[in-house]
Amino acid sequence: MPTRPIIEPFRIKSVEPIRRTTPAERKKLIEDAGYNLFLVPSEAILIDLLTDSGTSAMSTEQWAAMMRGDESYAGSPSFTRFRNSIVSIFGFHHVIPTHQGRAAERILFNVMCKKGDIVPNNTHFDTTRANCEFVGAHAVDIPIPEAKEPAHLHPFKGNMDTAKLTELIEREGAKKIPLVMLTVTNNSGGGQPVSLGNIRDVKQICKKHGIPLYIDACRFAENAYFIKLREPGYADKSPRDIAREMFSYADGCTMSAKKDGLANIGGFLCTNDDLLAQQEKDLLILTEGFPTYGGLAGRDLDAIAVGLNEALEEDYLQYRIASTAFLGNHIAQEGVPIVQPPGGHAIYLDARAFLPHIPVSQFPGVALAVELYLEGGIRSVEIGTLMFGEHATMDLVRLAIPRRVYTQSHIEYVVEVILDVWRRRDNIPGYALTHSAPFLRHFTARLKPLG
Ligand SMILES: Cc1ncc(COP(=O)(O)O)c(C=O)c1O
């Protein structure tokens, strides 16, 4: 029996035109942008897969909730709805609103860490690492070894290496480790999920040594759905129940509501520790705002309160994960090398394997991202030598899928564009840098094609 097409579990009420450009226009636009897709105006992009962060389409219920937003400085009912929604899913005692995820990270590390401390994580996201290192602590990544092999199939490639965690705690001493973090799903590791078994094991190790466990919860709903699909014993549980169990093992979390909050801005920090919560709120008042708004408008708090619940709806999660897998599986079937298996929010192309004739020093990830734009107006992002310099172990091109924004036909178009580039891959040139900033150079770098 033929399988039925993936359909979006929503219909479209408000449309936003996207603009087609000609190949000649794109050639000129990318040349003017120094072959850096960050520098191309978004009106000149047909399908924008630069990030899934803050790019979600909001629902009618979220827009309605925004109209209910109460902009009182203190004690707004919008905050009550925001807190209730978070407590019912995450179960933590204290909820501290922030303007986005990195603000929650900054407050957490400022309060919990000092110079010389160590924070283990499956893989720190770049803002998490930066905020941890900013207070003088060391951010240590200990994913399972399979996470480092793009082609290796593993159902929970986001898991932490628990043997390495134990070894690290025994070697350095628990006093030097103020918290352990788990990022669900593991964004920097390919959007791969963490199993409940792994969360439980990590918690046990932490408990034995008296170390709190915090979850970087940005993509908690996608992680919960992967557990439902892949972890024995969870097929009949709802994503909400799975999420509750995930957080029941943690002492707190950081969250960017720009991902599974289905909002365009916002975040929060949670903890069960009364003393920490007080210190965190003191710092919040200094830099973000009063604890009942934390740098957000009342309407943002209301949009997040609704979005967190919608992100856990099974119809939505089924479509989201199936649509991302459709993209990954269709290109992989034709031989395109990707990080396997397809993650929750993005597909990562392995540019070193895609363009083996381009040496790492000539930025194969940039070369591939430029061709996807030239071929079909698609914007992706290089995660490799341009972003990380000599520290890069892989050259990937991430195609991050905004939530509820593109339809199945957009995804089919992306498949066709990638395959067209794949067929003519032997003639794609490498690149050289012509301008480079001293740090975070990928945002503003300018390059030129070689040969
Ligand atoms: C895993 C993870 N943690 C933290 C953040 C930071 O969130 P924000 O961009 O809202 O500051 C991100 C953002 O992409 C992320 O993917």
Side-chain angles (χ1 to χ4, degrees):
M1 207 175 79
T3 45
R4 292 199 171 145
I6 299 163
I7 66 160
E8 295 74 28
F10 48 81
R11 56 187 181 179
I12 296 162
K13 186 177 251 175
S14 172
V15 296
E16 188 180 8
I18 48 177
R19 189 162 83 86
R20 280 183 189 276
T21 44
T22 64
E25 282 175 319
R26 291 196 290 278
K27 190 165 176 290
K28 168 95 175 53
L29 280 155
I30 193 82
E31 201 181 310
D32 290 349
Y35 298 89
N36 182 344
L37 284 156
F38 279 105
L39 306 180
V40 176
S42 65
E43 297 101 310
I45 307 287
L46 186 65
I47 308 277
D48 203 344
L49 306 183
L50 184 69
T51 178
D52 66 320
S53 180
T55 52
S56 302
M58 291 211 296
S59 66
T60 46
E61 288 303 321
Q62 282 178 292
W63 282 108
M66 284 187 83
M67 288 305 294
R68 268 197 304 277
D70 180 302
E71 304 303 339
S72 304
Y73 189 93
S76 162
S78 295
F79 177 70
T80 308
R81 291 189 281 270
F82 172 84
R83 189 187 51 208
N84 290 349
S85 187
I86 294 166
V87 170
S88 81
I89 299 166
F90 295 72
F92 298 115
H93 300 328
H94 300 281
V95 176
I96 296 166
T98 59
H99 80 275
Q100 61 183 89
R102 68 199 68 183
E105 291 164 359
R106 189 184 62 79
I107 293 171
L108 176 75
F109 293 129
N110 260 280
V111 168
M112 291 192 78
C113 298
K114 58 180 190 319
K115 199 164 182 282
D117 283 346
I118 294 169
V119 180
N121 198 326
N122 45 353
T123 311
H124 289 82
F125 180 66
D126 57 9
T127 60
T128 325
R129 170 174 289 278
N131 274 298
C132 178
E133 290 175 349
F134 194 69
V135 297
H138 302 291
V140 178
D141 294 340
I142 42 171
I144 54 170
E146 291 86 339
K148 291 183 187 139
E149 298 167 46
H152 191 104
L153 279 166
H154 186 290
F156 291 103
K157 230 173 166 176
N159 283 355
M160 179 178 273
D161 188 329
T162 48
K164 282 220 178 97
L165 177 63
T166 305
E167 201 183 289
L168 182 72
I169 299 172
E170 281 169 3
R171 194 179 60 236
E172 300 289 342
K175 280 210 176 75
K176 267 181 99 173
I177 305 179
L179 75 159
V180 170
M181 282 193 94
L182 269 176
T183 305
V184 303
T185 59
N186 188 3
N187 183 9
S188 307
Q192 301 292 330
V194 178
S195 70
L196 257 171
N198 190 250
I199 299 176
R200 235 180 268 123
D201 291 347
V202 169
K203 173 65 186 179
Q204 248 178 23
I205 297 168
C206 289
K207 201 169 163 193
K208 184 170 157 209
H209 296 278
I211 302 172
L213 171 63
Y214 276 69
I215 292 183
D216 177 339
C218 294
R219 298 177 181 84
F220 75 99
E222 291 170 9
N223 199 92
Y225 195 66
F226 276 121
I227 289 172
K228 182 178 170 75
L229 294 182
R230 297 181 185 170
E231 192 154 352
Y234 288 92
D236 296 329
K237 294 233 156 77
S238 70
R240 174 180 291 271
D241 286 343
I242 296 172
R244 285 292 309 238
E245 187 178 341
M246 282 162 53
F247 294 112
S248 72
Y249 301 116
D251 299 277
C253 75
T254 55
M255 172 75 186
S256 167
K258 299 171 75 175
K259 284 81 173 177
D260 278 350
L262 294 173
N264 302 123
I265 195 70
F268 52 88
L269 169 61
C270 291
T271 181
N272 284 334
D273 185 314
D274 297 344
L275 183 63
L276 279 181
Q278 196 47 57
Q279 293 169 342
E280 288 164 355
K281 282 180 197 168
D282 291 345
L283 198 52
L284 184 85
I285 292 173
L286 195 65
T287 56
E288 293 279 300
F290 194 70
T292 59
Y293 75 88
L296 292 169
R299 54 181 171 272
D300 297 325
L301 297 170
D302 267 305
I304 296 166
V306 175
L308 289 168
N309 287 300
E310 289 183 352
L312 284 167
E313 282 170 13
E314 223 165 306
D315 274 359
Y316 158 73
L317 283 167
Q318 187 194 9
Y319 136 80
R320 168 103 180 127
I321 301 302
S323 172
T324 309
F326 178 95
L327 170 56
N329 292 337
H330 274 71
I331 56 175
Q333 258 165 31
E334 300 296 321
V336 176
I338 64 166
V339 173
Q340 287 282 14
H345 68 293
I347 294 299
Y348 295 69
L349 307 178
D350 181 351
R352 287 187 193 175
F354 197 115
L355 301 171
H357 61 285
I358 300 182
V360 167
S361 59
Q362 293 180 15
F363 306 105
V366 171
L368 180 51
V370 167
E371 292 305 318
L372 295 176
Y373 179 68
L374 287 171
E375 185 69 40
I378 296 170
R379 174 153 64 178
S380 52
V381 65
E382 187 256 17
I383 300 189
T385 307
L386 183 62
M387 193 178 269
F388 299 122
E390 78 266 21
H391 302 296
T393 53
M394 294 190 271
D395 277 276
L396 304 176
V397 171
R398 187 183 77 175
L399 304 155
I401 311 194
R403 293 167 181 78
R404 303 192 294 206
V405 169
Y406 293 115
T407 63
Q408 179 62 11
S409 59
H410 290 119
I411 299 294
E412 284 172 23
Y413 172 83
V414 174
V415 168
E416 292 309 318
V417 170
I418 295 170
L419 294 180
D420 284 342
V421 173
W422 174 242
R423 286 179 203 111
R424 58 175 183 76
R425 61 192 180 279
D426 293 343
N427 300 318
I428 295 172
Y431 284 77
L433 270 172
T434 59
H435 164 78
S436 173
F439 46 83
L440 294 175
R441 65 178 182 174
H442 53 291
F443 289 120
T444 52
R446 299 184 75 84
L447 303 100
K448 64 169 190 210
L450 293 164

